[in-house]
Amino acid sequence: MIGFRILKRRRAVSADVVERFRTIPVANISDSMSRMTAGGSRLRPLHRSGVMAGPAVTVKTRPGDNLMIHKAIDIAAPGDVIVVDGGGDLTNALIGEMMISHAQKRGLAGIVINGAVRDSAWIAEHDFPMFAAGISHRGPYKDGPGEINVPIAVDGMVIDPGDLVIGDNDGLLCVPFDHTETIYTAAAAKHAAEEKQMVAIAEGRSDRSWIDAALKRLGCEIES
């Protein structure tokens, strides 16, 4: 039934792809995707530290209800990232310490909630990757409906089951399954170029001539 179903994930990015992307800052990956894709500024890391990376298990749930999130935790494989579209509603927390502890025990790589969580102090004391839009002490319902392993969207960013989901202190990003190699090549090259630029800055030989060139090209009036 549309709206209340659990599907099988047909494909997922490999562990090798996940590990290669883990070394690249999310900002560099985002730049390599033309800065047009993002998980929304509200989705922030709440855990103590650490990069999140893994293939997506997607969940679409009614705001305030976490029945399908419980099921997703039970069927997800070690290394998976559960990504939940809870409509961005912050009225009821969809997950807390007990569910996160169960996910951690099962070897999941992280959880993303487009909605609220609770037990935020506990989350902040641990390194299990947890991204959410907000915090609420009000607990969830467990009545459904909802869907697992269907395409979802968060602030315009589409996530298909098995896509790469990666997050760091700057936020999170979805890299589509079919484009991981192309995007990794571009992001790795950008990261390497920025590392060279940081060396040049430290040594006082950073070339800033591009600024005046850009102002001239754009017709900026500058008093002499």
Side-chain angles (χ1 to χ4, degrees):
M1 177 189 299
I2 296 293
F4 201 19
R5 56 184 179 166
I6 299 170
L7 304 181
K8 291 183 179 180
R9 189 173 63 185
R10 304 301 178 185
R11 61 184 187 178
V13 293
S14 68
D16 175 65
V17 168
V18 172
E19 289 308 308
R20 283 190 289 144
F21 268 93
R22 189 185 296 277
T23 64
I24 308 295
V26 168
N28 290 151
I29 302 170
S30 178
D31 286 352
S32 300
M33 297 174 70
S34 300
R35 304 182 175 102
M36 289 292 290
T37 301
S41 58
R42 291 200 310 158
L43 287 175
R44 306 305 308 158
L46 301 181
H47 57 290
R48 182 169 55 189
S49 65
V51 173
M52 177 184 70
V57 171
T58 60
V59 179
K60 186 175 181 64
T61 186
R62 177 173 64 87
D65 192 284
N66 74 356
L67 177 62
M68 285 304 205
I69 306 174
H70 276 281
K71 184 61 178 177
I73 292 173
D74 284 350
I75 65 176
D80 283 346
V81 173
I82 293 178
V83 187
V84 179
D85 175 14
D89 182 78
L90 304 181
T91 306
N92 296 80
L94 294 178
I95 200 168
E97 177 182 353
M98 288 193 291
M99 290 177 70
I100 297 169
S101 296
H102 182 54
Q104 188 172 16
K105 182 67 174 179
R106 288 187 47 77
L108 273 61
I111 299 176
V112 179
I113 303 286
N114 185 21
V117 302
R118 62 181 180 180
D119 302 321
S120 59
W122 181 89
I123 294 171
E125 293 172 354
H126 293 78
D127 293 330
F128 181 80
M130 185 76 233
F131 287 72
I135 298 167
S136 173
H137 57 77
R138 295 177 63 177
Y141 302 98
K142 295 173 173 58
D143 305 307
E147 297 177 296
I148 296 176
N149 285 326
V150 297
I152 61 173
V154 177
D155 281 3
M157 182 179 72
V158 176
I159 305 105
D160 284 314
D163 283 351
L164 174 68
V165 178
I166 186 163
D168 61 19
N169 286 340
D170 287 335
L172 65 96
L173 187 62
C174 173
V175 181
F177 179 94
D178 290 326
H179 301 286
T180 52
E181 289 303 319
T182 301
I183 294 170
Y184 174 78
T185 299
K190 181 170 182 58
H191 182 46
E194 288 194 357
E195 288 184 323
K196 289 182 179 179
Q197 189 175 358
M198 288 300 295
V199 172
I201 291 172
E203 295 176 350
R205 37 181 199 83
S206 177
D207 182 5
R208 307 290 288 170
S209 62
W210 67 269
I211 300 172
D212 287 338
L215 292 171
K216 182 178 180 180
R217 173 175 55 83
L218 295 169
C220 178
E221 180 181 344
I222 304 176
E223 286 188 349
S224 57

